[in-house]
Amino acid sequence: QVQLVEVGGGLVQAGASLRLSCVAYGGALTDFALTWFRRTPGMPNELVARINKAGAKYHANSVKGRFTITRDNARNTVYLQMNNLKPEDTAVYTCAAENDEVHYWGKGAQVTVYA
């Protein structure tokens, strides 16, 4: 059983940067596609960014040019570098790992951006 733990959330002013990390315990992430979602109250989960096994990346239009997803398989970690943060980026950010057989979720990290 793989456990995903998000680290790096916080409270920042608009324009600042944060880096979220999602570390996997209990298994390797090599064969997983990795995704960052975010959730705000009353809204559905938004897919923020995704990176597949080969390293191909997708970023939502709302974060393109500001956020970057990367992975370090040696460290069993996926990152989300968030630059030029805006108040509308305020959300709980959750990482997920999936392959053809299983889908794992972290518990989330709060990111709050004030104007």
Side-chain angles (χ1 to χ4, degrees), residues 3 12 17 20 24 26 33-34 37 50 55 61-62 68 81 91 97 105 111-112:
Q3 183 181 8
V12 296
S17 298
L20 296 177
L34 305 171
F37 293 89
R50 180 181 173 89
N61 286 337
S62 58
T68 303
Q81 177 67 42
W105 293 85
V111 172
T112 303

Side-chain angles (χ1 to χ4, degrees), residues 47-70:
L47 193 158
V48 176
R50 180 181 173 89
I51 184 167
N52 68 10
K53 293 187 296 183
K57 304 177 184 180
Y58 165 84
H59 297 87
N61 286 337
S62 58
V63 305
K64 198 171 293 184
R66 300 188 298 122
F67 292 11
T68 303
I69 188 171
T70 56

Side-chain angles (χ1 to χ4, degrees), residues 1-5 23-30 32 75-76 102 104:
Q1 181 79 10
V2 172
Q3 183 181 8
L4 302 177
V5 179
V23 185
Y25 298 95
L29 292 179
T30 309
F32 288 83
R75 288 182 166 82
N76 269 350
V102 295
Y104 299 113

Side-chain angles (χ1 to χ4, degrees), residues 14 18 22 24 56 66 74 88:
L18 280 176
C22 173
R66 300 188 298 122
E88 52 263 42

Side-chain angles (χ1 to χ4, degrees), residues 3-10 18-25 36 76-82 93-95 106-111:
Q3 183 181 8
L4 302 177
V5 179
E6 298 95 342
V7 180
L18 280 176
R19 188 177 77 160
L20 296 177
S21 302
C22 173
V23 185
Y25 298 95
W36 284 99
N76 269 350
T77 302
V78 58
Y79 303 98
L80 186 68
Q81 177 67 42
M82 304 184 293
Y93 286 73
T94 304
C95 65
K107 293 187 177 181
Q110 177 70 47
V111 172

